[in-house]
Amino acid sequence: MYGDSETIRRVLTGSGDTWAVVGLSTNRSRAAYGVAAVLQRFGKRVVPVHPKAETVHGEKGYASLADIPFPVDVVDVFVHSELAGDIADQAVAKGAKAVWFQLGVIDDEAYARTRAAGLDMVMDRCPAIEIPALGLD
């Protein structure tokens, strides 16, 4: 299991309120768009990270994690598993406290590297599902 309920709760409630959402664009049909809205309702600042660097949900977007000019607490990853490991490494370099790989995003080596770097990590889960499941909404 890639995220016990204690780790999930800690990331959602104790890791900080600035979440970089990698893969978030203005495309309303993508899961990232809806999950970002849930995170905002939960009190998180959502920072879109997408090559187009679009403003989404009222927040300025950035082309990469490195382009964000302020600290990020959690990096929520909505990219294919083949690309996710690099994003996890960028999150470590950025100084994030946690990395969250969305449903279907799995990279065991990235998980091991991220945990070894001292970050919390949740993989193959969705905060929009976990928030109500843990009674946090």
Side-chain angles (χ1 to χ4, degrees), residues 60-133:
K60 177 181 176 0
Y62 297 89
S64 72
L65 286 174
D67 291 340
I68 301 173
F70 48 82
V72 169
D73 300 312
V74 180
V75 176
D76 191 3
V77 182
F78 283 89
V79 299
H80 294 290
S81 296
E82 310 83 65
L83 306 173
D86 183 50
I87 302 295
D89 295 339
Q90 291 174 39
V92 170
K94 181 75 179 162
K97 297 175 189 144
V99 175
W100 190 301
F101 281 8
Q102 284 296 139
L103 290 172
V105 180
I106 299 171
D107 182 331
D108 290 319
E109 291 176 7
Y111 184 87
R113 286 194 311 271
T114 303
R115 295 291 298 127
L119 282 70
D120 275 328
M121 184 156 180
V122 176
M123 187 162 66
D124 193 27
R125 304 295 276 274
C126 178
I129 294 169
E130 300 302 329
I131 289 168

Side-chain angles (χ1 to χ4, degrees), residues 9-74:
R9 184 179 297 276
R10 185 170 55 246
V11 172
L12 288 170
T13 63
S15 293
D17 291 333
T18 302
W19 284 51
V21 181
V22 179
L24 176 57
S25 70
T26 57
N27 184 341
R28 293 171 182 264
S29 67
R30 304 290 299 180
Y33 190 89
V35 171
V38 170
L39 287 168
Q40 278 189 326
R41 286 194 301 274
F42 188 58
K44 305 301 180 188
R45 177 183 184 189
V46 171
V47 182
V49 179
H50 189 278
K52 293 180 182 175
E54 300 169 306
T55 296
V56 186
H57 296 306
E59 288 285 347
K60 177 181 176 0
Y62 297 89
S64 72
L65 286 174
D67 291 340
I68 301 173
F70 48 82
V72 169
D73 300 312
V74 180

